[in-house]
Amino acid sequence: MKLSFILPSDLGKSRAFLVEKVLSTTAQQQGHSVVSAAEAERVVLFNDQVPAEAAGKQGCILNLDEAFNQPEQAIAQAVNSSQVFAKATTTTSTNVVKNIVAVTACPTGVAHTFMSAEAVEKYGKSQGWNIKVETRGQVGTGNAITAEEIAAADLVFVAADIDVDLSQFKGKPMYRTSTGAALKKTAEEFDKAFKEATIYEGKAEVSNRFQKKERKGAYKHLMTGVSHMLPVVVAGGLLIAISFMFGIEAFKDPNIAYGLPKALMDIGGGAAFHLMIAVFAGYVAFSIADRPGLAVGLVGGMLATTAGAGILGGIIAGFLAGYIVKFLNDNINLPASMSALKPILILPLLGTAIVGLIMVYLINPPVAGIMESLKAWLTTMSGTNAILLGAILGGMMCVDMGGPVNKAAYTFSVGMITSQVYTPIAAVMAAGMVPPIAMTIATLIAPKKFDNSEKEAGKASFVLGLCFISEGALPFVAADPFRVIGTSIVGGAVAGALSMMLSIELQAPHGGLFVIPFVSAPLLYIGIIALGSAITGVSYALLKKAE
């Protein structure tokens, strides 16, 4: 049996060495092995302080002196113990200075990923901890955590809104939360982490928090799909926009510019845009069912694309593929000699067949009809309806600055790009740029109402706003949520409504200032953003109380 001895932190080094040596030697003589707490079948403690690495483990609490004097009986008692340490009462048994490793990841892999990482690192250093934060952004892993740092870690703190690979942390105490909570309530989240951290057992484990809140699970799956689809959408949209710079219909003539407009359209519209819903559905399924769900989700998403079912069909395909593959994986039991066939043959074959047939016969026909009607409604929309939709989308973008409501509006607008409807994304981008730019305006026109740190944050938020990173306003939201969010919704709604009313189109789903040349009416669009930002900035400056 695998045993682990966790000695009290206040025990002298010499005494600790002697006790561990006696017990380890006795255990090995009886045919047992001594391992780390993460690998142990039985954990032996010597006081009532349960460290995080012992939480959920079976073991016993022994008297230190009796165990030292009668090691054979101590080992026998440990082996036969049936006590389970339900939860940790202390975070670490040996270290005075805590060693923390953290991982952050958000759906777009841009703003929340790095802002929450900065907040976590800053707080950890202020507490005197050894802390390292790994970011999982769109450009890959940054500040990667090493195996040695994982081995020494007392806590793994994960702030992620999407599904991320945590396999290297198996056996370590882990606490999981969102990037928004880590950014806005850093101290509170760490307090919870030290009380609620549990040993991470691998992919199959889901924390109680997420078991109880299925809505958050669905949101995480959707955002995993969006985060992987976004680079495909951005690349395709920009290439199409560049093609249009040669003329709106230049791609139809292969003789213009040596066929460059046509080639760009084939790459952007023919390849990238044709793939985007398949990638989205594939990674939604991946988030639910891990690697076996990916292939099935890709096929389901491609079927939705070819049938014209659009983003709605892709959402259904992703969830359908994920949960069907998960069900098959949980319920198909094979002999050990055939288990290798399950992930490469049985699950892909059955999953693809079942999901494919459901999509072809049941899902695609009605959903394609719905998407066609929605497309027709949006392309012919004018007047009050356009203003109302733009105001709703614009307001949603400013409710939580990168949170679920913001992402819902953004995902809808990106999805409409796949149906060749380009007005919603223009409205959403204009509104999303308003809050951070507006905070800069407020700090400039009412400097006496802001302290030095807020003025510095105002300078940074302007740059972030120009890049369409709404999260630049979050420092102000954290300090004064009601006034900032309220005024931002007003300015965002105005910007969104005007953009829709004027039928401004944009084929690139992200980029802010850098994609304005690809907007159908660039100068008018800049004016709309400026107006919305001015409304929010001035109103917030007037409403904010002086420091």
Side-chain angles (χ1 to χ4, degrees), residues 20-100:
E20 186 166 14
K21 186 68 174 177
V22 168
L23 292 175
S24 297
T25 301
T26 304
Q28 289 166 1
Q29 288 173 349
Q30 295 183 11
H32 307 298
S33 58
V34 179
V35 297
S36 67
E39 301 173 6
E41 298 170 27
R42 295 288 189 278
V43 174
V44 181
L45 306 181
F46 299 91
N47 57 29
D48 58 359
Q49 295 299 307
V50 180
E53 60 263 38
K57 293 283 186 178
Q58 195 169 332
C60 63
I61 300 175
L62 301 180
N63 179 279
L64 184 67
D65 293 329
E66 291 179 359
F68 182 70
N69 295 324
Q70 299 175 316
E72 292 83 3
Q73 294 181 17
I75 299 302
Q77 186 176 345
V79 170
N80 297 319
S81 172
S82 60
Q83 179 181 355
V84 176
F85 302 119
K87 63 179 182 178
T89 58
T90 182
T91 57
T92 177
S93 61
T94 57
N95 293 329
V96 176
V97 177
K98 296 181 176 67
N99 294 312
I100 312 293

Side-chain angles (χ1 to χ4, degrees), residues 305-329:
T305 298
T306 54
I311 190 64
L312 183 57
I315 292 172
I316 296 171
F319 279 100
L320 193 64
Y323 285 113
I324 284 178
V325 172
K326 190 174 187 299
F327 174 81
L328 293 173
N329 194 23

Side-chain angles (χ1 to χ4, degrees), residues 96 216 234 243 253 332 419:
V96 176
K216 292 212 171 202
V234 171
S243 173
D253 187 347
I332 296 177
S419 299

Side-chain angles (χ1 to χ4, degrees), residues 333-503:
N333 298 309
L334 298 175
S337 59
M338 298 180 63
S339 59
L341 294 175
K342 192 174 177 182
I344 62 173
L345 174 61
I346 295 173
L347 293 179
L349 175 61
L350 292 178
T352 302
I354 294 170
V355 171
L357 290 171
I358 292 174
M359 291 297 296
V360 169
Y361 287 106
L362 298 179
I363 304 299
N364 283 342
V367 173
I370 292 171
M371 289 301 296
E372 192 60 37
S373 299
L374 180 61
K375 176 182 176 181
W377 178 64
L378 289 172
T379 51
T380 58
M381 182 181 287
S382 61
T384 305
N385 287 337
I387 294 172
L388 182 60
L389 179 61
I392 291 172
L393 290 174
M396 289 175 68
M397 288 297 293
C398 302
V399 168
D400 50 3
M401 318 290 177
V405 177
N406 171 286
K407 287 295 186 292
Y410 181 71
T411 301
F412 166 78
S413 302
V414 171
M416 293 315 301
I417 291 177
T418 66
S419 299
Q420 293 80 50
V421 179
Y422 306 113
T423 49
I425 192 63
V428 157
M429 188 177 295
M433 294 170 71
V434 164
I437 295 174
M439 294 304 102
T440 303
I441 294 172
T443 59
L444 291 175
I445 64 177
K448 294 182 179 180
K449 292 187 177 183
F450 298 90
D451 60 28
N452 288 333
S453 64
E454 289 175 322
K455 292 175 185 176
E456 290 301 315
K459 295 175 184 177
S461 71
F462 181 72
V463 177
L464 293 171
L466 292 179
C467 298
F468 181 42
I469 299 176
S470 305
E471 290 89 339
L474 284 177
F476 298 90
V477 174
D480 191 7
F482 295 108
R483 277 184 279 266
V484 173
I485 292 174
T487 55
S488 294
I489 290 174
V490 173
V494 169
L498 288 173
S499 180
M500 286 293 294
M501 182 182 75
L502 298 171
S503 301

